[in-house]
Amino acid sequence: MHIIREVVAELERPVLLFSGGKDSIVLLRLAEKAFRPAPLPFPIMHVDTGHNFGEVIEFRDRRVAPTADNPDGIELIVASVQESIDSGRVAESTDPSGSRNRLQTRTLLDALEKGGFDAAFGGARRDEERARAKERIFSFRDEFGQWDPRAQRPEPWSLYNGRIRRGESVRVFPLSNWTETDIWRYIELENLELPSIYFAGEREVFERDGILLSVSEFSQPRDGEEVTTEWVRYRTVGDLTITGAVRSRATTIPEIIAEISEATVSERGETRADDRTSSAAMEDRKREGYF
């Protein structure tokens, strides 16, 4: 909460990136608590690939709707990859998997520029992936939205320098030092609602390159790929064409915590096909302006 308040104090126009996943749900909760009883002083933004889990979109819309405690609801900005394709800002993906994940970068940068945002909160954690471990909590981007891992500012004693030049921006990761277990323990503590895909249930899936993909209109099995009905859940939320499930019977938060406590692979390493293209896949995307 201290980090979130620092950003609001130092920067002119922040926005919170919200995927509907567990990390952004925790981040949104912390942001709300940081300014209570006042309303959230910035909007949230979802970069929509169009290839979403239906349960996640339904949860997103319910989460931002007006409530008794917040009659105005939460301002939601939806940045659409499909609109970027239709307007010619990006070309339709040639990825054989059908993934639009890489196309999100242009959509995000355009939305940040259009909204005049100079800071974007993200729920990334250092334990997820090696490129994320290189970033500071305040991670600076140049006027093109690009990241240089060699140009990170020191952050001694939790002191954060938010000074930027015109055109530059900063991505801020308040959950950098949290682990997956920390996230789930906070969800349990605060009794936070989550999309149902985080809990085990029977789903139709097929295996591709060692990852279990859900059968949907956007992800269909190829020749030789068999569809089976299995008990699975998702450790992370993303483009459903590249986000894999894990076999699980965990239907409660304590069961999930026990399960991930024994896991030896991070959620992205186990379930995200886009991070397997090369050992530097995430870093390459971040240099271009990815989340």
Side-chain angles (χ1 to χ4, degrees):
M1 288 189 286
H2 161 67
I3 293 167
I4 296 169
R5 289 169 180 157
E6 280 291 300
V7 171
V8 172
E10 290 192 46
L11 282 299
E12 293 184 4
R13 185 156 165 76
V15 66
L16 188 149
L17 302 177
F18 186 79
S19 67
K22 64 184 185 305
D23 300 316
S24 62
I25 290 169
V26 166
L27 185 57
L28 178 55
R29 175 65 166 179
L30 289 168
E32 289 175 324
K33 293 178 73 173
F35 299 103
R36 282 181 171 175
L40 201 66
F42 44 76
I44 69 174
M45 178 188 295
H46 179 213
V47 180
D48 181 1
T49 66
H51 293 172
N52 302 289
F53 291 94
E55 300 95 324
V56 176
I57 297 300
E58 186 274 333
F59 170 84
R60 178 201 72 185
D61 293 341
R62 190 171 68 255
R63 182 65 176 84
V64 302
T67 64
D69 294 333
N70 184 12
D72 295 326
I74 298 171
E75 181 184 354
L76 170 67
I77 299 169
V78 178
S80 168
V81 171
Q82 184 60 55
E83 289 182 6
S84 297
I85 295 171
D86 293 343
S87 65
R89 291 294 289 164
V90 296
E92 181 64 90
S93 177
T94 57
D95 189 326
S97 71
S99 169
R100 291 179 170 181
N101 207 38
R102 202 170 191 111
L103 304 186
Q104 292 180 90
T105 299
R106 183 71 269 156
T107 303
L108 170 65
L109 294 177
D110 285 351
L112 292 176
E113 182 178 6
K114 180 180 178 180
F117 298 112
D118 56 2
F121 293 105
R125 309 185 325 269
R126 290 184 176 127
D127 74 328
E128 291 181 278
E129 203 277 336
R130 65 184 69 183
R132 289 179 168 176
K134 294 182 180 181
E135 288 192 286
R136 307 292 189 192
I137 290 175
F138 276 41
S139 182
F140 290 85
R141 300 297 196 271
D142 64 19
E143 62 270 27
F144 303 107
Q146 297 175 334
W147 172 63
D148 183 353
R150 298 168 299 179
Q152 299 288 292
R153 297 180 181 179
E155 295 175 342
W157 304 292
S158 299
L159 298 176
Y160 306 107
N161 182 353
R163 292 183 180 179
I164 57 173
R165 300 182 182 90
R166 184 177 298 277
E168 295 178 335
S169 62
V170 60
R171 309 285 172 84
V172 183
F173 305 111
L175 305 180
S176 284
N177 295 328
W178 291 42
T179 66
E180 185 181 9
T181 304
D182 292 334
I183 292 292
W184 279 103
R185 285 177 174 158
Y186 188 79
I187 289 169
E188 182 179 40
L189 177 68
E190 291 286 319
N191 193 28
L192 299 182
E193 184 184 1
L194 296 170
S196 58
I197 65 171
Y198 277 112
F199 301 95
E202 289 186 296
R203 281 181 174 263
E204 284 192 333
V205 295
F206 59 94
E207 186 168 342
R208 178 178 297 163
D209 299 327
I211 293 178
L212 290 175
L213 297 176
S214 180
V215 177
S216 73
E217 61 178 309
F218 306 114
S219 55
Q220 293 289 325
R222 301 169 184 165
D223 291 343
E225 294 176 340
E226 180 183 0
V227 175
T228 59
T229 300
E230 300 196 39
W231 274 83
V232 298
R233 70 176 191 88
Y234 290 83
R235 291 178 69 184
T236 184
V237 163
D239 187 321
L240 61 76
T241 64
I242 53 170
T243 302
V246 294
R247 293 180 176 89
S248 173
R249 290 277 181 169
T251 59
T252 66
I253 291 176
E255 289 174 344
I256 291 173
I257 292 174
E259 186 176 270
I260 62 175
S261 296
E262 299 177 359
T264 58
V265 182
S266 74
E267 63 261 47
R268 292 194 68 94
E270 183 175 22
T271 66
R272 292 296 289 271
D274 52 332
D275 288 344
R276 298 186 176 192
T277 55
S278 77
S279 60
M282 172 66 81
E283 182 163 330
D284 291 342
R285 293 199 303 277
K286 292 182 79 65
R287 286 176 183 270
E288 296 169 1
Y290 187 70
F291 295 1

